[in-house]
Amino acid sequence: NIPDTVTSIGEGAFSACHSLTNINIPNGIKIISENAFAMSGLTSVTIPESVNWIAPNAFSHCRNLTSVTISGSGNTSIDSMVFYRCENLTSVTWGKGVVEIEKSTFSGCKSIESINYGGTKEQWDAVVKPERWEYSFGDYVIHCTDGDIIKSND
């Protein structure tokens, strides 16, 4: 486990750790650096609300990753290509504190079926997202607290 005194996960810290399938990221972490978990064996990950920045490629090429939860308490930005080519990622959950998603954050995540968002549809619309941020998705549903938004990317 990562000690509670750690505030950032360094660049490439767990990169290519294929046997790493599970990790407890403590609530004191503020930054997850570039390639921190790239190509690891993670199957799911929960990112605590203390994290305010997830750097490019932090979880790229995690082929076993199927679900991601990003708590996002109030000012969380998800940089470009964070989940690049996580081809088996089907479900993403994030809190209404996620305020920005960069271009290509989920590029190559062709299996995403649902996004569970902790806010309303209006709050979802206010999240800063570049045009076609979800271009590699197929059909998917965004579950908001006040109803669903159904998307088709045929």
Side-chain angles (χ1 to χ4, degrees):
N1 282 342
I2 300 170
D4 290 339
T5 55
V6 174
T7 59
S8 67
I9 298 173
E11 185 172 338
F14 298 96
S15 182
C17 291
H18 303 291
S19 62
L20 179 67
T21 59
N22 189 349
I23 192 158
N24 178 28
I25 300 174
N27 200 31
I29 298 291
K30 296 186 182 318
I31 296 170
I32 299 176
S33 299
E34 195 163 345
N35 296 306
F37 295 95
M39 298 178 287
S40 72
L42 289 173
T43 57
S44 67
V45 66
T46 298
I47 298 168
E49 60 185 35
S50 60
V51 172
N52 55 32
W53 184 52
I54 306 171
N57 296 303
F59 295 91
S60 67
H61 296 280
C62 289
R63 301 216 192 291
N64 298 325
L65 192 62
T66 59
S67 67
V68 171
T69 299
I70 304 168
S71 298
S73 66
N75 217 5
T76 304
S77 292
I78 306 171
D79 217 316
S80 63
M81 303 183 80
V82 168
F83 298 102
Y84 177 70
R85 305 267 318 183
C86 293
E87 296 169 351
N88 293 307
L89 183 60
T90 59
S91 176
V92 178
T93 300
W94 67 61
K96 64 182 177 183
V98 174
V99 295
E100 184 174 10
I101 303 166
E102 291 287 337
K103 181 179 179 185
S104 304
T105 295
F106 294 99
S107 179
C109 297
K110 57 188 176 193
S111 299
I112 290 183
E113 298 168 352
S114 67
I115 295 173
N116 302 299
Y117 178 63
T120 64
K121 292 181 202 179
E122 184 177 350
Q123 288 170 318
W124 170 259
D125 289 338
V127 173
V128 177
K129 304 175 282 291
E131 185 177 331
R132 296 188 35 82
W133 67 275
E134 79 284 49
Y135 76 92
S136 62
F137 296 10
D139 296 344
Y140 68 103
V141 178
I142 302 163
H143 303 285
C144 298
T145 57
D146 60 348
D148 294 344
I149 303 169
I150 299 171
K151 297 286 191 170
S152 178
N153 279 333
D154 293 333

